[in-house]
Amino acid sequence: MALMKMFACLGILATAVAQAEVESEIPWGIEAVTGYRSKMVHRGFSLADDVNDYQLETEIAISNDWSFNFTALYATGSGKGNDYSESSALAEFRYDAASWSAGWMAGFRDFTATFFRDGWESGPFLTYRFNEDLDLRAEYLYDQGGESMYGAVRLSWSHSLSEKSFVSVVGGVSHVEDYYGSEGLHSIDLRASYTYLLLSHVSLTPFIGSVAALDNRADDAMLGGVWFEVTF
């Protein structure tokens, strides 16, 4: 519980500090995000409604080709009759080539009031960039909480509408091996969003999304929400 409260405080504090830094010419490379979503859907399973989340993310360039990315997340909402919450810490070590990237990701997730179990996850990922607007990412992870492998392929597209706004669409399909009772092709997901820059380092992103089950364990769901993002 102390860890979850710490993540919540960090998210709120980072957003407040970032607002004081929006006039800075050179960002520090940290992104603070606070948001709301009507439903939390994690890997094809609907876990909670009316979810508020707070995130901190930073990327560190190790060399021209190698980088390290770290994300901390705290989310809370109404679960299945209880108060749902999640605290996560995720890291990626990545190599970037001209048209592709590859690396290894690892992290730990702590859940409350859900059938999902706490545990670490780890595995490789590969991204191929068709152009500046379109890329394809594949990942294959071992989830200790689910005691199983989880794989996903996701296509991402974005398009600039003006100097201050752009749209993006992300869609993917997942495959699992005895993952909380699910086996084989698991779910398809799709999310569309619109981002508007309120200031040079401050943006607002409303989004809508859907999930379609491909087996009898996953959930069908529709959701919407908004993110408020600050870089500093």
Side-chain angles (χ1 to χ4, degrees):
M1 182 64 68
L3 177 64
M4 293 182 284
K5 289 181 179 179
M6 180 188 71
F7 277 135
C9 292
L10 281 174
I12 296 170
L13 177 62
T15 301
V17 172
Q19 287 176 323
E21 295 290 333
V22 295
E23 298 303 324
S24 173
E25 292 296 327
I26 303 176
W28 296 353
I30 300 174
E31 183 177 62
V33 181
T34 182
Y36 166 84
R37 66 188 75 190
S38 60
K39 188 178 296 290
M40 171 65 80
V41 181
H42 181 62
R43 293 179 178 169
F45 295 101
S46 178
L47 302 184
D49 299 323
D50 296 323
V51 175
N52 296 295
D53 59 71
Y54 309 91
Q55 299 180 52
L56 279 177
E57 182 175 355
T58 185
E59 182 171 305
I60 301 171
I62 301 173
S63 68
N64 290 335
D65 301 322
W66 292 93
S67 62
F68 175 80
N69 180 277
F70 176 78
T71 302
L73 164 73
Y74 173 73
T76 182
S78 58
K80 306 300 183 182
N82 295 295
D83 293 330
Y84 164 86
S85 66
E86 176 191 350
S87 299
S88 300
L90 306 170
E92 286 188 354
F93 188 56
R94 187 179 74 245
Y95 175 82
D96 291 311
S99 60
W100 58 272
S101 300
W104 196 273
M105 61 183 299
F108 185 85
R109 297 182 187 271
D110 180 3
F111 295 98
T112 300
T114 175
F115 65 89
F116 263 69
R117 296 183 290 270
D118 303 344
W120 56 267
E121 57 188 52
S122 182
F125 65 88
L126 174 66
T127 301
Y128 181 77
R129 291 179 291 276
F130 297 96
N131 52 51
E132 292 184 356
D133 297 332
L134 185 66
D135 64 65
L136 182 70
R137 173 176 167 128
E139 60 185 32
Y140 192 62
L141 312 174
Y142 178 75
D143 185 330
Q144 182 197 25
E147 299 178 340
S148 177
M149 303 300 297
Y150 174 88
V153 176
R154 189 156 285 109
L155 189 66
S156 301
W157 173 83
S158 63
H159 179 70
S160 177
L161 299 177
S162 69
E163 292 183 355
K164 290 190 174 184
S165 66
F166 65 90
V167 294
S168 63
V169 179
V170 180
V173 60
S174 61
H175 182 279
V176 295
E177 299 177 15
D178 193 20
Y179 192 63
Y180 294 102
S182 184
E183 183 78 34
L185 289 175
H186 180 56
S187 65
I188 297 176
D189 60 86
L190 182 67
R191 186 184 73 234
S193 62
Y194 169 80
T195 298
Y196 183 80
L197 296 176
L198 302 173
L199 294 170
S200 59
H201 304 318
V202 182
S203 63
L204 192 67
T205 304
F207 63 89
I208 57 173
S210 65
V211 180
L214 296 179
D215 63 25
N216 59 7
R217 289 291 297 164
D219 297 314
D220 295 319
M222 296 288 295
L223 64 142
V226 61
W227 290 307
F228 177 73
E229 302 146 317
V230 180
T231 57
F232 61 104

